[in-house]
Amino acid sequence: MRRNDTAPTTRKVQGGIFLPKPQNAITIAVSSRVLFNMDKEQQIYEQKGMEDYLKYQIEHEMEPFAPGPAFPFVKALEAVNTRLRELYPESEELFDVVLMTNSHAHAGLRLINTINHHQLFIERFCMTGGNSPIGYLKAYHTNLYLSADPMKVREALEEGIAAATMFNPPEKRTEVSETQLRVAFDGDAVLFSDESERIFKAHGLDKFFEHEKTHENTLLDHGPLKGFLESLGKLQKKFYAKDQRLDCPIRTYLVTARSAASSGTRALKTLRSWGLETDEALFLAGAPKGPMLEKIRPHIFFDDQLFHVEGASQLGTVAAHVPYGVAQKLPQQKPAKENTKDFSAATK
């Protein structure tokens, strides 16, 4: 049956705001444990089991959870949506946040009460009762999945879904913008494949530089978060079309320890070939990423090495781990012992 072209393509909810269809939106799936601080509840579940966990949730369902590490990121997504609706009232190209939790539905009331308490616009929930969320992520055409469970994140990545693990927020979290979404990406094994990192691990730093120089006109393959950057760029262009490039509420950053002259050309040429760009590109040539991220103040920074994630977190940046590529099979460094001669401080 042919669809009626006059039928509404969105669903109106309280407050007169429309929800886009999943296939038209940029869907961000967040687990309840990264959106809110549920450490105490998780401890009860792990130590006493599901029944005590559910009992506790029901007894405390009128007590809202405190914000978790993904909370400022979600608030920034909502700020972008507000601007988009002003410029394109009928457009479905919006961020759509879906709350994913493996909790039983009995625990749902406390989550709903918390969302209303914090005045978040989240209408879509998936309470899977312990089952894997992967099937639901696919059904929602998920563009990014954030979770505190590294196993679920790995499962999502294996299914081709952009995903990252988030951790407890830094004790002294850097203040972030309430009106501009800022997202920072590492390069290799995040936006790009781990090809170059494999060269380094197998043959050393000199061979890596030689390889990059020889292949500077050969494009890198895509990494797990390339599609998410592409989605951000698509929304940015909607603001550019309204002559708001200088007032765009989305700003993206490439923060890589690659050296600009010796290995940066290939990265930039690859982004250009994809029709993508980042607003800023920082080639740190081995310098630690944390201090630069402290100045950028992103809502989230994606990196494939825990070494950089922990280093950023120590200086107040909310960072997410992308467990992808050869680095996951090798021992991770400690932030306090950052080695500028390692690949992580020379190429990424």
Side-chain angles (χ1 to χ4, degrees):
M1 183 175 178
R2 189 173 180 179
R3 185 179 68 84
N4 183 354
D5 289 336
T6 63
T9 58
T10 53
R11 183 172 68 84
K12 201 170 187 178
V13 296
Q14 185 177 3
I17 297 177
F18 287 93
L19 279 177
K21 287 185 176 179
Q23 63 267 32
N24 299 326
I26 296 173
T27 301
I28 311 297
V30 295
S31 75
S32 55
R33 287 172 55 200
V34 299
L35 184 58
F36 304 121
N37 185 334
M38 299 179 65
D39 288 350
K40 183 175 182 179
E41 290 74 15
Q42 183 67 16
Q43 187 176 39
I44 291 172
Y45 171 73
E46 292 174 353
Q47 295 180 356
K48 298 183 178 180
M50 176 63 78
E51 297 307 315
D52 281 5
Y53 168 81
L54 291 175
K55 180 182 177 182
Y56 181 87
Q57 293 284 47
I58 293 170
E59 290 175 349
H60 294 81
E61 65 185 21
M62 298 308 296
E63 300 174 15
F65 294 111
F71 189 92
F73 175 66
V74 169
K75 291 292 286 185
L77 299 179
E78 293 185 351
V80 174
N81 277 354
T82 298
R83 291 280 303 277
L84 284 168
R85 288 189 175 101
E86 291 172 355
L87 296 175
Y88 301 94
E90 303 300 321
S91 177
E92 290 192 59
E93 291 182 311
L94 301 162
F95 291 113
D96 187 19
V97 178
V98 178
L99 185 66
M100 288 280 176
T101 174
N102 64 356
S103 293
H104 194 279
H106 284 320
L109 278 177
R110 190 177 183 192
L111 290 170
I112 292 172
N113 290 336
T114 299
I115 284 171
N116 290 332
H117 171 80
H118 290 294
Q119 298 182 322
L120 294 173
F121 184 74
I122 301 177
E123 295 289 344
R124 293 189 166 115
F125 278 39
C126 282
M127 291 174 276
T128 67
N131 289 333
S132 170
I134 299 303
Y136 299 107
L137 293 174
K138 289 183 174 180
Y140 274 112
H141 304 272
T142 300
N143 298 91
L144 177 67
Y145 173 50
L146 300 174
S147 173
D149 187 333
M151 295 301 293
K152 289 188 175 68
V153 167
R154 288 178 183 274
E155 189 179 355
L157 288 171
E158 288 171 0
E159 293 296 326
I161 299 168
T165 308
M166 299 192 77
F167 308 94
N168 287 334
E171 291 184 10
K172 296 182 179 179
R173 191 188 309 185
T174 301
E175 290 187 12
V176 292
S177 173
E178 295 182 357
T179 58
Q180 184 182 63
L181 171 66
R182 299 178 186 175
V183 183
F185 300 88
D186 179 27
D188 296 278
V190 176
L191 292 179
F192 313 124
S193 72
D194 67 340
E195 170 204 326
S196 298
E197 188 169 356
R198 289 178 180 276
I199 294 295
F200 170 79
K201 296 302 182 186
H203 305 290
L205 190 59
D206 289 341
K207 284 292 184 182
F208 159 75
F209 286 127
E210 180 183 326
H211 177 268
E212 291 301 291
K213 185 65 176 177
T214 302
H215 294 85
E216 68 176 26
N217 293 316
T218 303
L219 303 179
L220 289 158
D221 199 359
H222 66 84
L225 264 67
K226 180 250 188 178
F228 180 53
L229 175 62
E230 193 171 27
S231 297
L232 294 177
K234 185 177 180 180
L235 291 187
Q236 283 180 309
K237 289 175 182 177
K238 293 176 74 71
F239 290 98
Y240 301 166
K242 297 289 187 178
D243 197 28
Q244 294 195 16
R245 178 181 285 269
L246 297 181
D247 191 31
C248 182
I250 303 172
R251 194 164 184 85
T252 57
Y253 305 79
L254 172 64
V255 182
T256 171
R258 279 180 177 256
S259 302
S262 59
S263 56
T265 299
R266 194 180 183 198
L268 293 180
K269 285 185 176 181
T270 297
L271 287 175
R272 181 187 293 174
S273 75
W274 291 342
L276 299 179
E277 60 181 275
T278 56
D279 295 289
E280 299 185 30
L282 284 73
F283 293 92
L284 302 184
K289 297 180 180 181
M292 289 299 180
L293 291 165
E294 188 179 19
K295 300 300 181 183
I296 292 171
R297 297 175 180 265
H299 292 87
I300 192 167
F301 166 59
F302 297 100
D303 202 292
D304 69 303
Q305 297 202 41
L306 284 171
F307 168 75
H308 292 301
V309 171
E310 293 169 359
S313 181
Q314 287 176 0
L315 294 180
T317 295
V318 173
H321 180 230
V322 182
Y324 174 85
V326 68
Q328 312 314 310
K329 302 174 184 178
L330 299 165
Q332 298 280 335
Q333 298 181 48
K334 298 288 187 182
K337 298 180 181 179
E338 190 165 26
N339 180 356
T340 58
K341 290 189 180 297
D342 197 327
F343 177 90
S344 63
T347 64
K348 293 176 49 59

